Amino acid sequence: MSLNNQKSDGIDDLIKMVYKVLSKWYIIGICVCITCTTAFLINRYTARVFVIKSSVLVKEPKDVSNAASELLYGEETFKIRRNIKNESILLKSFSIINKTLEKLNFEVFYFEEGSMMRSELYKNSPINVTIDSSTTHYPKTSLKCLIQSNKHYKLQAENEEYIHLYEGQFAFGELVSLNGFTFKIDLNKSDKDHVGRQIIFRPNNLLGLTRSYQNRLRISLVKNESSILEVSLTATNANKEIDFLNQLVETYSLRALEEKNKTAANTIRFINEQLIEISDSLKNLESMLENFKIKNTSIDLSLKNEKLFDQIKAFENEKATHIVANKYFDYLSNYIKNDDELEHVMIPSSFGITDEVLNALINELVQEQVEIKALNAQHTVENPLLQFRFKKIKELKKNILESVQNLKAANNISLTNLNERIAHITEILKGLPKAEREFISIQRLYDLSEKLYLFLLRKKAEAGISQASNTSDILVVDPAMQAGSPIKPQERRNYMIALLLGLACPIGLIYLADLLNNKIKGKDDIIANTRLPYLGTIGHNNDQLTLVSFVNPKSIISESFRSIRSNLRYLSDFKKGCKNYLITSSVSKEGKTFCSMNLAYIFSISGKRTLLINADLRKPNQYSELEVPGSIGLSTYLAGICTEDDIIQPTKFEHLFVIKSGDVPPNPSELLLNEKFKQLLDNLQSKFEYIIIDTPPIGLISDALELMKFAHVNLFIIRQNYSYKSYLSNINELYDKNLVKNGAIIFNDVNFSKNSFGYGYGYGYGYGYGYGYGTYNQKEKKQNLGKKILNRFKKRKNGTQES
């Protein structure tokens, strides 16, 4: 087969399938109605699910507008650069969400049953449930509160399994304890009468509710290059989740501000401790200096001694800086060893320690601690990533302590050097009078303490200004709001799916049924499965009449038999003499007797002497429609009971004769194979022009196969949607073995109305004419609608003229 032919066959098959589907339009319509109705109910009664979104900007602390302390220090004294990924994890942390839920009082959710679905009563509940702090057990089921009056209510568990645990009648405002759950219910005052309403409330364990919100919360970057985070979650109650997101962002913003202030607070606390110690020392020295001056009013230093005193003073000022550094080193060592919140450690540069290595190590330690805090919100301690971070923290602590030890050793060397210089000058001053030496010693200690005190006061003021000027690095870009239409149910998608299912399911079933159907559906099935000639088509017999050709001579069935009669003459080459036509089928009820009678009648009305022989001795048909009396027939003749003339019986039609089957014999096959049957046929050929032999089905018994050798043409009856395709394979096999000669096929009981799409049946005979002709006269039961209207119009016109 050529490629073009294959394409043509494929297109034809597709067209036929389309027509077959269109013929079942009512099934498709019903399925579409069912699926679309289902989609409507789903869209109507499914709870709406909304997406709630909010966006926040995480500002970098180096922003001058956000850090007044930076103007004072000229460096990032209290600032750590933020990691956006960590911020998103912290925003979703358990502590932040838990604190948010505590502020919102989400311990109890309230619902009310509607006619078709349950709705949540957020901020609109007629009752208020307060859970006592002594509660040790939360119910595993929702509780139903029936408001019986303004003073009493009835309580019952929604789940029948727990009814015995939570049931009873109580008063509003009464403290109730059931199975470890302690609570009270108050009736909200309003103008409405709530008696008779049943409110369902669900107590929530805040720990479990926090985990639930953690799983539902989604945080993402708006753009990869930006530091704007989008916070979103899905919800059936949009107002409740809008409040949650707004409170979450507010809680997170306050937490970020508190974290920023902790470093400054730690610095101020440390300075206060040092100021207390130095303040006491300074007071004592001030008192000593004052007493000394009172006792020695006339003391005065020479120019040389003043120079020596100024040198000591300069050395003491330098010594003060090293003393403060040592105090910071001691603080840092103790803090690293004992404190877990290392992200709040004071930066060395805030105390004038400019060692780049130490500052870098401290910054890295703080950053690692922030990373660990973020990871703790998502993972367990056993997580390998956390273990790696802990290991790194341990190494950083070790390096910091080593660096502090080295710096302190270097600082002590500088202090030793300063002390030696001070001691050298002090030795020189020993030659001075006792009063001058005492004055210089007291003044030197006083200046040192004063220098330390003023330095610490300045640092305290700077830290206080930084703390007061701090603002949160979290800025709300968009407050929480509903993002567009509900995501569930997706009404348009549901209707589209319903429409597709409504179309696909019936079409698929029709196609599958057609694919699995091994019965013959049309002429194409016959042509594709056999090589025998196709003789003609006989339509469906709506009137259930056997001799349709006589009752409705102008029907489409009658015209079909006339067409077959003409085709049979072509098939037998117009030979003169009697023509024997054998008619058989694969199984019973395929219409061979119907075809035999009508074909015999059609031959007879053409003026030809025609004989119809019923050779089906196992299931005889007495041809009551032909009005032939008696019970004798072929079996009685072959058994030798009667003569040939006795079995040939005339019918009510002039040229049609019948040989009935007779009584059912015990050995029908042997009788038909008897030589006497062959002699009978030979004798009958001289008396008749056409002999129609009605035989048993060839698929069940072999009688018809034996009789085929006596026929000039063997006709196989195929019934639409009844005969199996395998029967055609059997006919082919017989044909290939030369057991069947001059075979032809008649397609019977074809329902043209069901096959008007794609299955045309104008085979040699114009069925366009046949349809019209048959419709024109079906016992004249049906009158054309146009004629009815025309006749009614004529009657009305005649009535008008007569009047």
Side-chain angles (χ1 to χ4, degrees), residues 11-148:
I11 293 172
D12 289 343
D13 293 340
L14 179 62
I15 292 174
K16 290 172 184 175
M17 191 63 214
V18 170
Y19 286 149
K20 180 173 283 294
V21 168
L22 291 177
S23 68
K24 307 288 184 181
W25 63 268
Y26 51 92
I27 297 177
I28 298 174
I30 292 172
C31 289
V32 169
C33 288
I34 292 173
T35 54
C36 287
T37 302
T38 304
F40 170 77
L41 294 175
I42 291 173
N43 291 336
R44 175 67 178 82
Y45 296 110
T46 299
R48 267 50 178 168
V49 177
F50 304 91
V51 175
I52 311 301
K53 289 183 178 181
S54 178
S55 57
V56 294
L57 171 65
V58 181
K59 296 188 291 184
E60 288 292 348
K62 66 179 181 179
D63 184 0
V64 175
S65 65
N66 193 41
S69 60
E70 193 170 276
L71 296 173
L72 295 173
Y73 294 109
E75 56 188 13
E76 295 183 5
T77 304
F78 303 116
K79 309 305 177 190
I80 304 287
R81 290 183 64 85
R82 293 185 180 274
N83 184 305
I84 296 300
K85 184 178 179 182
N86 290 340
E87 294 300 321
S88 66
I89 296 174
L90 289 173
L91 184 56
K92 197 178 177 180
S93 65
F94 184 91
S95 59
I96 297 293
I97 295 178
N98 188 260
K99 189 177 291 186
T100 300
L101 294 175
E102 287 178 354
K103 291 180 179 179
L104 288 171
N105 192 22
F106 274 11
E107 275 194 306
V108 182
F109 292 160
Y110 304 91
F111 305 91
E112 188 171 21
E113 292 287 356
S115 57
M116 294 298 294
M117 59 189 296
R118 177 177 294 184
S119 57
E120 185 174 359
L121 302 174
Y122 178 65
K123 294 184 178 179
N124 193 30
S125 172
I127 64 171
N128 182 49
V129 181
T130 304
I131 300 176
D132 193 80
S133 58
S134 63
T135 291
T136 59
H137 178 77
Y138 282 82
K140 295 181 180 180
T141 177
S142 298
L143 303 177
K144 296 188 290 187
C145 173
L146 177 62
I147 303 174
Q148 295 179 318

Side-chain angles (χ1 to χ4, degrees), residues 260-278:
K260 288 182 66 177
N261 288 332
K262 276 185 179 180
T263 302
N266 285 344
T267 303
I268 293 172
R269 185 175 65 250
F270 171 77
I271 292 174
N272 284 333
E273 292 172 358
Q274 303 303 317
L275 283 174
I276 292 171
E277 182 181 341
I278 296 173

